[in-house]
Amino acid sequence: MTTRGQDQPGGGGAAQTLEPLNPQRHGDLRVSPAPDATRHFAQIVADEFLDAAHDHPIFFTKHPETGAFYAGVVMGLVPGENLSCLRGQMTGYRPADLERQGFFVVEDRIMVEPDHPALTKPDGRILFDEAGEPTTALQRIQHALGRLHTGLAATDAIVARYMQHRLIEPIDVSLSFDDGSSIRLDGLYTISLDRLHALPDQAALDLFRQGDLQLAYAQTGSVRHIRRLARLHNERLAGPSV
C-alpha cells in the first residue's frame, strides 16, 4: 500500500518545490481531481472514518521507516488504479488527502507545489476569484488541510489506545479472478473483534466514552468493500462487454 510518506499531509518531500499560497502569485492556478485516478490508497484520519466507511475499506498499515501504524482507505488493488474513480471523478467519499493534493501545511502556513499534477490541468477549477478571495475549490482544500493537520495527532492517540489493548492484528486479503490471476494485499491490519469483545468491562467502557468503539466497528464493517473492489477489478480484466 502507498505509505504515509508519499504526499504526506502537513509537509513536503525533498523533490517538492513549495511556495506560500497567495492570490497574486497563484491567481492563475487551477485544481483538478485528475490525479485521483492513479491513487489506489489514501491516508485518512479518525474524523473521516464514519464518512469513508460508507464507500471504502479502511485498514491500518505501517510507516515503512518508523513502523508506526496509521489508517488509510484502499481504492484500488494495484498501484496506479483507482477503482472508485469513474470517468475521472471519485464515487462516494473523497478523502481529505485527495482533496488537498498539491497543498501542505508548514508552520501553520498553507504552501502549494505549483508543479503538482493536480495543478497542471487546464480544465481545473480556479483557486481565487477576481477579488483575490478563495473560491469554493480552495475552501474545500483549506477544510481538508485543517482536517488532516488537526486529525493526525488525534488519530495517533486512538491507534495508541488500540495498541495498548492489542486490538490491531494483521489481515489476510487474498483475491482470485476469473482470468486465473490473483492479488494479495500485504501489510494491512484490522481491529480484532475477538479481542475487542474479550476486553474487561472498564476497558471497553473507556474506549466507548472516547469514541474509539464506534470507530473500531466502522473500520471492521468497512472491510466488506473489498468485495466490491474485487468485482470491479475482475470486470476490468474481462474488458468491455460486447
Side-chain angles (χ1 to χ4, degrees):
M1 291 292 100
T2 302
T3 67
R4 182 173 182 161
Q6 180 175 342
D7 207 20
Q8 181 178 346
Q16 296 160 330
T17 302
L18 301 182
E19 303 173 356
L21 180 66
N22 69 73
Q24 290 74 34
R25 185 175 180 84
H26 305 113
D28 293 331
L29 283 183
R30 293 176 175 269
V31 61
S32 167
D36 290 5
T38 63
R39 292 285 299 272
H40 72 297
F41 186 83
Q43 181 179 2
I44 62 171
V45 293
D47 185 49
E48 298 183 84
F49 271 41
L50 299 184
D51 292 328
H54 287 291
D55 302 298
H56 310 292
I58 301 171
F59 293 100
F60 299 96
T61 190
K62 288 184 177 181
H63 191 288
E65 297 177 1
T66 67
F69 280 108
Y70 66 97
V73 293
V74 174
M75 299 173 292
L77 302 181
V78 294
E81 177 184 71
N82 186 339
L83 294 167
S84 297
C85 207
L86 181 63
R87 292 187 291 274
Q89 296 290 331
M90 282 288 294
T91 59
Y93 178 70
R94 189 177 186 224
D97 194 33
L98 297 188
E99 292 278 5
R100 65 98 207 172
Q101 289 182 101
F103 296 85
F104 306 84
V105 175
V106 179
E107 296 180 353
D108 295 328
R109 298 185 67 182
I110 296 181
M111 308 291 285
V112 60
E113 181 189 358
D115 295 329
H116 191 282
L119 298 166
T120 57
K121 307 297 181 182
D123 58 345
R125 297 163 295 172
I126 60 172
L127 299 174
F128 297 97
D129 62 21
E130 294 180 354
E133 295 298 320
T135 62
T136 301
L138 180 53
Q139 290 171 5
R140 289 176 64 92
I141 293 166
Q142 291 171 327
H143 175 73
L145 284 170
R147 199 173 197 182
L148 291 168
H149 190 58
T150 60
L152 287 173
T155 306
D156 287 344
I158 292 169
V159 168
R161 292 193 288 270
Y162 290 153
M163 292 292 293
Q164 178 185 355
H165 297 292
R166 301 176 59 246
L167 295 180
I168 297 180
E169 66 177 8
I171 183 171
D172 179 25
V173 182
S174 300
L175 306 168
S176 299
F177 303 96
D178 291 345
D179 68 347
S181 64
S182 62
I183 291 176
R184 179 184 174 90
L185 302 182
D186 294 318
L188 298 179
Y189 296 77
T190 186
I191 296 292
S192 169
L193 290 180
D194 288 340
R195 291 179 183 172
L196 181 63
H197 296 157
L199 286 177
D201 290 350
Q202 186 58 53
L205 180 60
D206 290 343
L207 291 176
F208 169 75
R209 285 178 171 168
Q210 295 181 92
D212 299 347
L213 278 187
Q214 184 183 31
L215 300 184
Y217 285 122
Q219 185 274 311
T220 55
S222 75
V223 172
R224 71 185 187 279
H225 292 302
I226 281 289
R227 294 194 295 270
R228 177 181 60 83
L229 295 181
R231 174 179 55 80
L232 292 172
H233 185 79
N234 200 52
E235 291 172 355
R236 290 196 180 188
L237 290 175
S241 58
V242 179

